[in-house]
Amino acid sequence: MTVIWDDLTEEERTALKRMNRGPYPFLSKALAERLVFLGLAQERPSGTGINRTGRELVIRTLLSARSN
């Protein structure tokens, strides 16, 4: 399943942008599970973190906004 930025809620977008910068301690369990389900994050021993797919989505979106 391919997820695009417009498929995400504002809460999911915010969480991904914050996770892209580092640990996001305020990430709720439900939101973490949703991002994992969407294939944008993964469970790690230290908690849920953004994965390559999620990072690429965030970066692509930020770069696209910058060029507009």
Side-chain angles (χ1 to χ4, degrees):
M1 158 170 73
T2 301
V3 177
I4 62 171
W5 195 250
D6 291 338
D7 292 338
L8 302 175
T9 66
E10 191 61 35
E11 183 181 29
E12 292 164 342
R13 293 174 186 175
T14 298
L16 279 176
K17 287 190 278 187
R18 289 184 178 164
M19 291 166 71
N20 191 48
R21 289 180 283 188
Y24 181 37
F26 301 107
L27 183 66
S28 72
K29 182 176 175 24
L31 185 51
E33 289 173 354
R34 171 83 176 143
L35 293 173
V36 169
F37 173 77
L38 292 172
L40 303 172
Q42 66 186 48
E43 291 298 330
R44 299 186 176 132
S46 59
T48 305
I50 193 169
N51 64 16
R52 181 179 299 260
T53 303
R55 192 173 310 279
E56 288 173 354
L57 178 60
V58 170
I59 291 170
R60 187 171 52 248
T61 301
L62 293 175
L63 290 175
S64 158
R66 188 181 251 187
S67 66
N68 289 333

